[in-house]
Structures are given as structure tokens and as C-alpha cells.
Amino acid sequence: MSSVVIVGAQWGDEGKGKVVDRYAARSQNVVRFQGGNNAGHTLVVGGETTVLHLMPSGVLNPGVRSVIGNGVVIDLEVLVREVRNCMERGLIDAARGTKTFAVSDRAHLILPYLSRLDRARESVAGAGKIGTTGRGIGPAYEDKVGRRGLRVCDLLDPQRFRDLARHRFEAVDRLLADLGGQTYTGDEIEALIDHQLELAEVIRPFICDTSKLLFEARSSGENILFEGAQGTLLDVDLGTYPYVTSSNCIAGAVCTGAGVGPTQIDGVVGICKAYTTRVGEGPFPTELHDSLGEELRAKGGEFGATTGRPRRCGWLDLVALRASVRANGLTGLALTKMDVLDGLDELKVCTAYRHHGETLHAPPARSDVMAELEPVYESVDGWGSQTVRGHNSFDQMPQAAQRYVRRIEEFVGIPVCLLSVGPDREETMEISDPFLGGSA
Ligand code: GDP
Ligand code: IMO
Ligand code: MG
């Protein structure tokens, strides 16, 4: 029995979905523990693309149980769409209930007024906007911490849910009115509450205490794969605050977001692109504002899987990556999108920052300072016209690609356990197996 955590080591979209799908074949459970449908995780299997926002990315693997932990914030409309789709494809089964899919009774709900509030706030924020996904993530976590949130367990008592939801709709309506946003009529509120209760019926067979379920699964010898959303630099505590999401996305969040103790975690793999991207506002020291940035965006298909927004692109920031290794206690790195660097003769990696004559070796706390940083680059040979695609082992890769990987390992101090050289599940080279804690 082994429990492995996958987290984003950058600003999200590192390829977590692809790697989780790949690793899921050796785990009986795959668990989301934070975030919500701000996430967009892409899986490509046999040429077919699936994008998941809430359903854990192991779901395409037969026999794997998908679990949504208490730390996730759930938009029922989105969850039910994904659940229905998975049921139609025979991937989860209401008759077998929590053996195939489980959703925490303690997870908080994103009722429609919360996404409307998120968008209304962003639209009046002007230069101060965060560039959120508009999915109500921030307001949902505010309600949770403010102890006024509605949870999955509340859906099981319709009359009580109706009263609580009506009260919250009306309170948020006053905030929406202040922001000049669209408010709800009484009839709309009742119809939306009815709709939530209808949606709840679809997930009813899957609702349970997932902390208990996972404890029992581990006790009976099952493996567990935890799937992070977003990335370390978007973590509300350790990211580029305030340009972050509203949850903790580091590995430690597994404990609070899935109700699993720290002694139950055996390995933590950070997913990292061979370069860097970011969606939304906020500092990004290695961002490329030139044609090379555009080239990476085009070659890497760097458009958001949730909002379709173009992703900002830049060189690999090893200083930020080393901070991620530290904050997550990473035991291995999965390096993705190496193929996007095919064709380049020279690559750069950022090894320090300069700020007003001072050299920094870790990201600063203040995002305004981070925005002023000048990256110190080290130049590394690219592999030009050679390609990283189509190789079966690390040793067969172009020499310059091998040196690039070795330089990253050396700088951040942990080994690369997986290399991804294309979007498909099969376009992957495994160097060691995190479930075995050793060689693949
Ligand atoms: P996630 O949010 O971390 O799961 O990542 P996304 O799915 O939002 O974005 C990653 C994108 O890169 C998706 O379109 C993947 O299909 C794609 N992808 C993942 N790994 C690779 C890779 O090694 N090479 C290429 N070219 N694309 C990849
Ligand atoms: P995955 O799991 C990339 C970004 C948004 C915005 C900030 C806050 O696919 O890697 P929010 O809606 O969470 O309040 O937005 O966080 N963001 C992501 N960026 N990948 C994600 O998820 C993201 N989820 C949120 O763009 O800058
Ligand atoms: Mg994504």
C-alpha cells in the first residue's frame, strides 16, 4: 500500500491530468483534495481528448475509484455533467455507489450566486483584478472560512437546504446590488434552489465520509493517488499573493482537504513544464513578451483548458521551482512538454533574481517586488533539429535534452521520475516509480 501526491510545481496547467491518468493504472483510488472547476485537466488516450474540471483524472482507468474530498468546492451543475458523462461511458456506476465514485459529505458547494459574485467583483476591480476563472472559487472558500457555506451533506435534507440557500441567496444579492451586478428575483431563487436539489439526486448514491473511506482503503492495502489542482505558485499562502487562487494547493493540503494524516503519505511528485506558463494577472519574472513567447504558446497549445484564455509563456524559472520542491517536500519531478522545446538551439533557465542591485535566491513575499525582478539567466544548449519524441529511454534522447534534465535535477536537488514528450498517455518515459519509491 502506497499513497502518492501529485501537485503542480508552477502556476498550474503543468500537465497534472496527463500524469495522474498515467499513474492511475497502479492505484485503486484517485482523489481530488482542493480547488474546484477552476481546474481544467486534459487527458489524451489513443488520440481522444477528455478535459475534466472536477472528476479526478484517473477516471478513464477501469477499476479505479474516483474520490472528491472535503477540501474541494463543488459546482453541482459541472459535477453532475461530468458524472452523467462518466456513467454513460460506464466509468462510474450508481448501483455500485461509492465503490466507483465517492464525494465527500463535507465538501462545500458553489451555489450560482457565488460565481456571479466572483465575476461582478472582477468586473469592477479595474487594475486590481486577479484574472480569476470566474467560477466562484474565491467566494466559496470565503463562505467556508466565514462559516456560512453550504455543504454536500446539507443537500440531503431538502427543507433545511432550501432555508439555508434562500438566506444566502438574499445576502449575496445585496452584495451584487452594491457592485452593480445582476441580482436575482424571488422566483429565480426558488427555481435555482429546486434545480440544485434535482442535481443532488444524481450524486446521492456517491455521498459519504471520504476521510473514513480512504482510511479504510489504505488499511486494506489499497494505493491512493492524490491529484492536486492549480499549482504551488497559486497557493494562497505560498504563491504570488494576492495573484493566487483561494485554496492551498501544496501537498500539505492533502491532509486538510482529504482528511488524511501526514504520516500516510509516501511520496510527492511535482509536475513541471520544461518552460513556464501562467494564466491571469500577476508577476511572472521569466515571461517572454517577444516572438519566442508566441512560438511557445503556439507550439505548446497554451490556451486555458477552462477559460480558453491565452497562457503567458516564458523560460523555466528554477528559483521558483526550487521553492516548490521545498514547500511540497517533493520526492520527484515529472517534467512535461519537453517536445515543445524541439527546434530551439538555445534555451535559458533562470537561476537567480536581481532586484535593485541585490541578488535573490528565492521568490519574495511581495508580488509588487516580484514584478520588478530581473531574471538572471543561464544559457543551456537546445537540441535544435533533433526531437525528444519517439524515444523509449532517457539514454536515447538527444544529448542536449539529457543535459537539460540533469541541470534541472542538479539545481533543485531532486530526481526527475517521469518525462512527458507529447500529450498522449503513451508519450511518456518513466525513470522511476513513485509508488515503489525506487526504479520503474
Ligand atoms: P493540468 O491543468 O496541469 O492538468 O494541465 P492542462 O491540461 O490544463 O494543460 C496541459 C496541456 O498540455 C494539455 O493540453 C495537455 O494535453 C498538454 N500536454 C501534457 N503533457 C504534454 C507534453 O508532454 N507535450 C505536449 N505537447 N503537450 C502536453
Ligand atoms: P489547473 O488545475 C492555471 C488561476 C486563474 C487566476 C487565479 C485565481 O488546470 O492547473 P480562481 O478562479 O482560482 O480564483 O483564479 O488562479 N487559476 C489557474 N491557472 N491552472 C489552473 O488550474 C488554475 N486555476 C486557477 O487564472 O489567475
Ligand atoms: Mg489546467
Side-chain angles (χ1 to χ4, degrees):
M1 134 281 281
S2 199
S3 298
V4 172
V5 181
I6 299 288
V7 286
Q10 297 164 308
W11 275 291
D13 302 329
E14 299 91 346
K16 297 176 291 294
K18 171 184 165 160
V19 177
V20 167
D21 166 65
R22 170 87 189 192
Y23 282 153
R26 63 202 80 157
S27 176
Q28 289 80 12
N29 304 276
V30 179
V31 187
R32 278 279 308 268
F33 55 93
Q34 48 71 230
N37 60 313
N38 46 350
H41 295 180
T42 314
L43 326 181
V44 183
V45 182
E48 193 188 335
T49 300
T50 306
V51 180
L52 299 167
H53 300 289
L54 278 168
M55 190 58 79
S57 298
V59 70
L60 300 186
N61 291 262
V64 170
R65 171 166 43 205
S66 299
V67 180
I68 295 185
N70 56 277
V72 175
V73 284
I74 298 176
D75 182 326
L76 267 189
E77 190 82 46
V78 176
L79 180 62
V80 166
R81 196 180 309 137
E82 292 190 350
V83 164
R84 283 193 169 129
N85 189 280
C86 290
M87 282 172 161
E88 278 160 24
R89 293 165 76 173
L91 299 168
I92 63 174
D93 179 3
R96 295 182 60 227
T98 57
K99 287 196 167 59
T100 59
F101 172 55
V103 56
S104 171
D105 50 6
R106 288 152 169 92
H108 279 248
L109 296 168
I110 308 182
L111 290 183
Y113 50 78
L114 294 175
S115 32
R116 196 179 275 190
L117 181 60
D118 187 6
R119 292 192 295 270
R121 280 188 184 151
E122 284 280 278
S123 71
V124 298
K129 75 172 180 171
I130 304 292
T132 73
T133 58
R135 301 300 193 259
I137 305 298
Y141 280 113
E142 282 173 43
D143 273 10
K144 171 177 173 169
V145 180
R147 295 162 293 186
R148 53 179 179 262
L150 274 81
R151 302 188 296 168
V152 167
C153 55
D154 298 321
L155 292 162
L156 301 176
D157 180 343
Q159 192 48 51
R160 186 167 164 275
F161 178 79
R162 204 175 277 286
D163 293 342
L164 291 170
R166 193 180 293 123
H167 181 71
R168 285 304 298 148
F169 258 103
E170 286 163 2
V172 174
D173 228 23
R174 290 192 287 276
L175 298 176
L176 287 168
D178 282 351
L179 290 164
Q182 203 188 345
T183 55
Y184 292 95
T185 64
D187 287 349
E188 269 173 340
I189 292 174
E190 294 310 316
L192 285 167
I193 294 174
D194 285 344
H195 185 51
Q196 292 291 309
L197 288 167
E198 278 162 31
L199 294 171
E201 287 311 306
V202 180
I203 61 158
R204 185 183 275 271
F206 305 109
I207 299 172
C208 70
D209 177 345
T210 50
S211 167
K212 182 166 174 284
L213 177 138
L214 291 172
F215 183 82
E216 287 165 359
R218 188 172 159 98
S219 303
S220 69
E222 293 183 8
N223 285 350
I224 306 177
L225 181 59
F226 293 98
E227 175 183 11
Q230 292 77 56
T232 305
L233 298 168
L234 288 170
D235 181 278
V236 66
D237 281 286
L238 292 150
T240 49
Y241 191 89
Y243 300 100
V244 292
T245 190
S246 297
S247 69
N248 284 112
C249 347
I250 57 168
V254 164
C255 298
T256 52
V260 167
T263 51
Q264 312 284 292
I265 294 168
D266 305 294
V268 186
V269 177
I271 317 296
C272 172
K273 271 181 199 171
Y275 49 99
T276 309
T277 63
R278 166 161 216 174
V279 204
E281 307 301 318
F284 179 177
T286 62
E287 182 169 11
L288 288 163
H289 297 278
D290 56 8
S291 58
L292 189 53
E294 278 163 37
E295 191 182 323
L296 289 177
R297 184 176 310 123
K299 274 169 67 183
E302 296 296 357
F303 295 88
T306 296
T307 59
R309 290 178 292 176
R311 296 175 182 149
R312 299 153 66 192
C313 297
W315 293 121
L316 183 58
D317 185 340
L318 289 178
V319 183
L321 183 59
R322 187 171 52 195
S324 280
V325 171
R326 166 166 45 77
N328 291 291
L330 297 185
T331 52
L333 268 187
L335 198 61
T336 62
K337 306 196 93 158
M338 283 284 286
D339 54 300
V340 177
L341 300 181
D342 277 3
L344 297 176
D345 292 320
E346 186 200 13
L347 308 174
K348 287 183 181 167
V349 288
C350 170
T351 54
Y353 305 127
R354 298 280 298 162
H355 188 250
H356 298 325
E358 204 189 325
T359 303
L360 306 186
H361 298 284
R366 275 171 49 182
S367 62
D368 59 324
V369 174
M370 188 138 175
E372 291 169 357
L373 298 179
E374 221 183 284
V376 176
Y377 285 121
E378 181 178 300
S379 186
V380 186
D381 286 342
W383 42 98
S385 58
Q386 293 177 281
T387 178
V388 294
R389 296 186 97 144
H391 301 290
N392 294 322
S393 79
F394 182 72
D395 303 338
Q396 290 170 5
M397 301 243 296
Q399 289 290 322
Q402 292 186 33
R403 282 198 298 274
Y404 189 61
V405 173
R406 294 296 179 220
R407 180 65 188 119
I408 295 168
E409 290 179 327
E410 181 186 51
F411 192 92
V412 302
I414 58 163
V416 169
C417 57
L418 180 149
L419 280 174
S420 174
V421 294
D424 198 276
R425 183 193 274 174
E426 300 306 325
E427 292 175 293
T428 311
M429 237 177 278
E430 292 200 37
I431 298 167
S432 61
D433 183 345
F435 281 97
L436 301 177
S439 299

